[in-house]
Amino acid sequence: MNSENFSLSEKIVSSSYVRQGSQARRGHEQLIRVLLEQGKCPEEGWSESTIELFLNELAVMDSNNFLGNCGVGEREGRVASGLVARRHYRLIHGIGRSGDIAAVQPKAAGSSLLNKLTNSVVLDIIRQSGVRSASCCFVVPMATGMSLTLCFLTLRHRRPGARYILWPRIDQKSCFKAMVTAGFEPIVIENILEGDELRTDLDTVQKKIDELGAENILCVHSTTSCFAPRVPDRLEELAVICAKHDIPHVVNNAYGVQSSKCMHLIQQGARVGRIDAFVQSLDKNFLVPVGGAIIAGFDEGFVKEISKMYPGRASASPSLDVLITLLTLGASGYRKLLSERKEMYNHLAHELSTLAQQHGERLLHTPHNPISMAMSLSGLQAHSDQAVTQLGSMLFTRQVSGARVVPLGVEQMVSGQLFRGFMSHAEAYPCPYLNAASAVGIARGDVDLCMKRLDKCVRSLRKSAAPHSTEDTAPPAPPEEQDTAA
Amino acid sequence: MNSENFSLSEKIVSSSYVRQGSQARRGHEQLIRVLLEQGKCPEEGWSESTIELFLNELAVMDSNNFLGNCGVGEREGRVASGLVARRHYRLIHGIGRSGDIAAVQPKAAGSSLLNKLTNSVVLDIIRQSGVRSASCCFVVPMATGMSLTLCFLTLRHRRPGARYILWPRIDQKSCFKAMVTAGFEPIVIENILEGDELRTDLDTVQKKIDELGAENILCVHSTTSCFAPRVPDRLEELAVICAKHDIPHVVNNAYGVQSSKCMHLIQQGARVGRIDAFVQSLDKNFLVPVGGAIIAGFDEGFVKEISKMYPGRASASPSLDVLITLLTLGASGYRKLLSERKEMYNHLAHELSTLAQQHGERLLHTPHNPISMAMSLSGLQAHSDQAVTQLGSMLFTRQVSGARVVPLGVEQMVSGQLFRGFMSHAEAYPCPYLNAASAVGIARGDVDLCMKRLDKCVRSLRKSAAPHSTEDTAPPAPPEEQDTAA
Amino acid sequence: MNSENFSLSEKIVSSSYVRQGSQARRGHEQLIRVLLEQGKCPEEGWSESTIELFLNELAVMDSNNFLGNCGVGEREGRVASGLVARRHYRLIHGIGRSGDIAAVQPKAAGSSLLNKLTNSVVLDIIRQSGVRSASCCFVVPMATGMSLTLCFLTLRHRRPGARYILWPRIDQKSCFKAMVTAGFEPIVIENILEGDELRTDLDTVQKKIDELGAENILCVHSTTSCFAPRVPDRLEELAVICAKHDIPHVVNNAYGVQSSKCMHLIQQGARVGRIDAFVQSLDKNFLVPVGGAIIAGFDEGFVKEISKMYPGRASASPSLDVLITLLTLGASGYRKLLSERKEMYNHLAHELSTLAQQHGERLLHTPHNPISMAMSLSGLQAHSDQAVTQLGSMLFTRQVSGARVVPLGVEQMVSGQLFRGFMSHAEAYPCPYLNAASAVGIARGDVDLCMKRLDKCVRSLRKSAAPHSTEDTAPPAPPEEQDTAA
Amino acid sequence: MNSENFSLSEKIVSSSYVRQGSQARRGHEQLIRVLLEQGKCPEEGWSESTIELFLNELAVMDSNNFLGNCGVGEREGRVASGLVARRHYRLIHGIGRSGDIAAVQPKAAGSSLLNKLTNSVVLDIIRQSGVRSASCCFVVPMATGMSLTLCFLTLRHRRPGARYILWPRIDQKSCFKAMVTAGFEPIVIENILEGDELRTDLDTVQKKIDELGAENILCVHSTTSCFAPRVPDRLEELAVICAKHDIPHVVNNAYGVQSSKCMHLIQQGARVGRIDAFVQSLDKNFLVPVGGAIIAGFDEGFVKEISKMYPGRASASPSLDVLITLLTLGASGYRKLLSERKEMYNHLAHELSTLAQQHGERLLHTPHNPISMAMSLSGLQAHSDQAVTQLGSMLFTRQVSGARVVPLGVEQMVSGQLFRGFMSHAEAYPCPYLNAASAVGIARGDVDLCMKRLDKCVRSLRKSAAPHSTEDTAPPAPPEEQDTAA
């Protein structure tokens, strides 16, 4: 209420109480003021009531909520269903304009503010999470894969003659398709086995550049977060190579914001070499629904170029989700989540290692992977050929989600390319294994329950040389893909 | 509640009342059954309570809502904010898999059902709206422009050598950028003036094909819904040409679902010639928030190919919105909206024509445009050079949205291409004009209020040869773009 | 947002758009201003977004929502469940103080405003609905019966020696219990049969006053809205008698606000004689959930005395519901509902009369009852003894609610008093009958569907002299009570 | 969804995924089954999604949500505003029937279930909280005071000749008014000072019984939870006296459920003597909005008699709130809240004691009061006459709520009775003091912030012999009443 309405209220209830109420209102407005002024994630999270107040304020600034508006255009932000209007807080106009997804809309000052603030708050968090020198970013309502595609399409205009993308292998469909969809030919760089870890083969990268010619290479497309025993790419070295050959470098940082190691790699890469853009998933890093990504970079001009490549307006829904979430958590709440994740990583590693030993397996030694780990299943496979895949179905049936079983020798065609040893990031990894990850939001209960069920399943499989129980034959093993980017 | 719980309830309250309650529950389930069985938009709309019951049922089928789930993956559908969880009805996993946006997710049976049903219900409505022989469609959480880009990227794999897209000019940035972003060179076909109407220049299309070679042309990219005095492209003839030369044909049907004429054009084009895909906006046709589109076609194989090009999962938000909306309206409710729109079109035309006469202007004669119309502003321009653009700002300030003023002689660069006479779809349209449209959801009040304000503005501008009042100089005239696709 | 925040916003998005947004905000505030200033129901209903904005504004004025509050009292408005907090818009402190349900709470300026405004808006509607000279009223979170009890308890303090309440019979339990619960002895005045109507026996009222002594009579307790063939009491004559003998007069106007006739009776009664208070249900008149009532009167002092009798704070929920509802409808929306009700009354009367004739029954002639009507069931009873009660169960099973069957000769004890001919308001009404009412919110579909099902039921009962089908024996006929006050 | 719909879903998405979804649904249903079967508060809290599923299930059982219902009654559960319908989960019919607030409604099986289950779950919690032998209770949508009135009105029918209620003094308006409103004459029993504590004067109670005659006494009305230095009444001894003289005994247990000591007193009183009913507030014990109470007792017959005294239906809103809250918390969650409260009590006592010493005051020694405590303000008063009341305003202005300042010598009329030394429960307590309480839901932050602000205020007051700063003179000291029952 404005001051006039507060004055009127004083005639109805005691003025000292109203004055206190009006002062309390200023408390909320003060939080909003700081946000508008600084464009940063507030250190302490906001209450639901401040957030809803703020969103309602934004909504009344959009023309579809003007009480006296009359619309004779073809897009007036009308909504037929009250359920739909409410779930979007009546913010209907989306973000961006036909020219640029980051542009301001005349009809929707509130939605435009939402868009700008979200990008600004998200940039703040990316910096706080380790990429201190990131200069610009924007939220896009597409998953990581399609966002990578957009980056590649933008680069095409800078390098019209380039046809190839150098890509250290990571077995996940959408990041591969991102390149194919953009119309490029991925050059798969097989990983090198170092101990248990699969790491970037820098020599082959260099060799391929020489072979194909730098000017024919659109970019190097590297990856941070990934399933063990693959580990984050050697970003620094790749960045140096890119700088040397003047080749753009796009990093798939799908769920890497949650790991200080991944973020550090990007920061270092950009410092010593070249990184043009890095792309991360909203849902995997910020505990929001699937469907959004952040495209970030170090050169504001290039990031804006990408945002201008998106033809047309876009859904504000992912921006709204991440803004609500970050305002709710505050920077301190997000840091707390990240530190809990780290703690759970250690707990998971300890538990999985213990369990492995009990069953004659071992936790693979992958110290460079800060999120995912793997337990060998060599013994289980020795026991029975089918046991490894059976383990997958059994875990699915027992509501253990995300524990991915990787058998040997899977072959898979993806967009016309045959991958041998698919899912394991290598043509012939030495042993089958099971993945587990400690991702942001994981709870101790997740780990403990998973260990208990896993133990039971392995135990039961090892007992029976015979085919496993009927219950578990029924469900077709759902091939849990590795979602580095999705 | 299941039957066991109903039985237990009978011990607590009278069994005859419980039995009636359980019978009533079956009423809701019956509606759901018909939807699942037929996959069609229900004839009569559902109540909010049936819809919410249904969405809650879907949500409990997703693993993030399993009471006994434990997750050790990198994407577990966790949500940090209760506000966010609730606004998505706890459907967090999005739609699709990394391989295919239309694929089923093992972790999310409910979201998968939502996705499949939405596509099926939307297809039903597209057929009912006039494209009877459409065979397949899917909702994509991108606006029309980016969806067109996806179609072009898919075609690239079929026609690797093609570089050009033939495009009858329509002055709207995002559909132009859609081609550039996909990496193609648009060949702009200027329109022909027939009476007041701007229509497709078929001869030039044919000439360009001969000139460039059919095999070098990725596709013809035509448009239905557009701002008058441009009218929908001659789809039948274009489709025949495409068929003859074996050139793909993609139609931008941005807000054409609401018009039986536009839909009829597509149906006829596909019958007599070739249309590979037609793309329409969700928000402009179905009164939902900005950010989704429908990609539809006649060949299931090709449409699936497009859906497989989308790398990674995607936001379920636009699908959820359109499903809620269509279940709320029912097919009959949607038909009613369309017929009200038609009625308002006539009302608007009548009112605008009357107003035009009073001010010495005229309603341009554009009978082929079923949605948009235009009133000349020749007199106003004669009166004062600035008056035409001033009219735009004045209407904006007076909360008339969507009434677009088009002055003469605007030049605009879009992605490196210069457009003369931008906004008017022609290098030199004979007169400046004002657009108004009767789009789905428009109310009589919109028309009447707009006429009243417009009348006042024109009157005031004609009175003063002198610069207009201070109030209206302040706001920079917001260049309302033509959002054929956005 | 305050002006400072708007200014900051102008640095983020274009200032002319922000200015328009801020202007739009003033539109909402203007509506709130008028409400605060005049305390009247707005003529036109508010949008949901204005209402929610307003409720959020009220909520931030309550101490439980102060960002810097610390509480060390025993009642701090804390809420454990987010679901609960949200459904009350975070207005937790209820209304009133321990001294007075109408008092202002220091801790809750927002809730206090809500309470005051609700009472003021409701008074406006009561006046507009016909009781123009009502001077004061308040909403109380108790149903009509308990509210009547509160009135009687208040009167006790004015008339400590009085033991009796004169009560023209109306067969509904809660208004009878209202007197017994308050500790008084109801003197039942049997009604007089005039034509088909049951009307107040004024002579007996007078006789009882003479017999018991005016000073021993707490009050006359009369009724307006009731089930036909009883009709509203002769309020004017009763009011004159009360004035003459200086006896208080309390009117049970349970669902009478919706009828201009009932309201006119009260207005007239107060003009020519004495009415101390009249009580009406919130749910039955204003389409809100069960549980609130309005206590109104002509002497502000007496109404305040009643409000001070309520010991302790009270739920704000019914006040919130009725305020939301009246702001949504606006005075014009409420008037529209009332006129539709009247129209449906005529429709129902016509349909029921036609149906009656087809089955050899007749619509009882009860012109003084503006809401309820009755169709005789004489023929049905002649046909079979059980058929009348069977009709009741059959209608219940067929989801016809509110159509009450009244057989002859029911005896019922209520709080120690035996009522012969219970449900019919008379010891021996000439015939059994079926009631139907046209109450506010009724739709044409209700009437038509009811007629169809009723016709089928009567037809089927008349066909079979034999016991009715198994289906209908199962459910125990639910004795639908007459809810004059509930 | 029922099994038929699950089968249909299997045709749309993979059957193994659907099967898992359907199995997950059974998880929710299983929780509901246990609730229906046992009627107890679940040990572990439910997720929001289970709760909403359950409430939606209840709602579809009510006739206003029947898809095929037609209504021709005067009360059909229609709702005009969507906001209102949703916030009540479409449960509109309230609870009870005109005969009995605990009765089942034919039109509303769902609401009836809600009512029964709430009463049952609440009884479970009362037993678990210490009154193991409670046999029956019900939630009533009235605050504690009005609920006490209802108890007294019920007793009147058992003891028609009784006029007096014996009431050990407690300075809170609504519990006093509860007796006056019911039409009885309270006999105030002044408390005895024992050390710092004010305790029940049993001798005077006995003397008054002898003096007035047991048969003329309606009941003894005692109190547990109260503001220090008053402590809970000597319930055991009072109960024994009541039993001896056959006098009913009603206990005001306003916020006593949260204290095992208060609950133990009631349990013991009932074991060794007589307690007919004990009444507690919903909001103060269960963190829900103001407006509900629980009436409980040991004799099912008597409790039912009370429930039958409530004339008419009633709001389901308080029942809904407490049910949602207890299902959310679970029994374990509620126990946790209680144990945190106890811990905070110790923390508060320690902090307040330390602060007192620093300012030359002391924490009064009131070991029998488990919730409230008091710090003397003797030094402050010695310093300046006005300082004590100024302290009250200063705390209010600084958003410290619930810290009540009690000066000496206040006189107050309540319903015609003069109380000397009002607020202090005694005509002449030795010193002024400040109250603070550790009530359920209190957080460490509340205590610490309060101490900080209190320290500042006292310090500033002691510094200035002169009148305090302008800022604090403005607001009128809001007389924070002692809300033992409200």
Side-chain angles (χ1 to χ4, degrees), chain C residues 156 176-186 415-416, chain D residues 150-162 184 218 302 305 309:
Chain C
R156 178 203 298 278
F176 185 77
K177 299 188 84 163
M179 300 179 282
V180 175
T181 293
F184 297 96
E185 189 177 314
S415 301
Chain D
L150 192 66
C151 294
F152 302 142
L153 290 172
T154 308
L155 284 174
R156 178 203 299 277
H157 291 265
R158 294 198 159 191
R159 296 170 80 81
F184 296 96
L218 185 84
F302 179 60
E305 213 174 304
M309 285 302 281

Side-chain angles (χ1 to χ4, degrees), chain A residues 410-427:
Chain A
V410 176
E411 300 204 342
Q412 169 89 37
M413 287 293 294
V414 180
S415 301
Q417 167 103 18
L418 178 69
F419 286 87
R420 285 182 217 283
F422 191 69
M423 292 176 79
S424 74
H425 321 288
E427 303 218 332

Side-chain angles (χ1 to χ4, degrees), chain B residues 122-143:
Chain B
V122 163
L123 180 62
D124 180 41
I125 286 292
I126 280 182
R127 286 172 174 165
Q128 288 198 35
S129 301
V131 188
R132 302 241 151 246
S133 52
S135 71
C136 189
C137 79
F138 65 101
V139 168
V140 70
M142 305 189 299

Side-chain angles (χ1 to χ4, degrees), chain B residues 260-272:
Chain B
S260 53
K261 275 194 193 170
C262 292
M263 295 304 268
H264 181 71
L265 282 175
I266 294 169
Q267 172 68 11
Q268 282 302 97
R271 202 177 56 80
V272 303

Side-chain angles (χ1 to χ4, degrees), chain B residues 161-322:
Chain B
R163 283 186 49 200
Y164 307 107
I165 297 178
L166 297 193
W167 178 67
R169 174 171 173 183
I170 157 120
D171 287 5
Q172 195 267 340
K173 288 179 185 166
S174 62
C175 56
F176 185 77
K177 301 188 81 161
M179 301 179 281
V180 175
T181 293
F184 297 96
E185 189 177 315
I187 305 299
V188 182
I189 312 289
E190 290 289 336
N191 298 298
I192 294 179
L193 188 67
E194 299 186 9
D196 287 336
E197 292 185 338
L198 290 164
R199 306 199 67 183
T200 321
D201 181 349
L202 294 168
D203 288 349
T204 304
V205 169
Q206 182 61 58
K207 219 167 51 194
K208 282 289 172 185
I209 293 172
D210 298 342
E211 189 183 316
L212 301 167
E215 69 287 0
N216 294 320
I217 295 170
L218 185 84
C219 65
V220 169
H221 171 199
S222 64
T223 305
T224 57
S225 54
C226 61
F227 274 48
R230 194 196 190 280
V231 301
D233 277 320
R234 295 182 185 275
L235 278 212
E236 287 189 47
E237 293 87 337
L238 286 173
V240 168
I241 293 174
C242 287
K244 198 176 89 189
H245 296 281
D246 200 21
I247 296 174
H249 184 189
V250 173
V251 182
N252 174 2
N253 187 40
Y255 47 102
V257 181
Q258 66 191 285
S259 151
S260 53
K261 275 194 193 170
C262 292
M263 295 304 268
H264 181 71
L265 282 175
I266 294 169
Q267 172 68 11
Q268 282 302 97
R271 202 177 56 80
V272 303
R274 173 173 182 170
I275 290 178
D276 295 71
F278 57 104
V279 177
Q280 35 269 313
S281 157
L282 277 188
D283 60 289
K284 286 182 193 134
N285 290 298
F286 296 106
L287 302 169
V288 294
V290 162
I294 303 162
I295 299 176
F298 303 90
D299 169 11
E300 205 169 329
F302 179 59
V303 174
K304 292 220 160 134
E305 212 174 305
I306 305 173
S307 87
K308 283 186 184 148
M309 284 303 280
Y310 188 100
R313 282 176 186 77
S315 170
S317 207
S319 296
L320 184 55
D321 288 338
V322 75

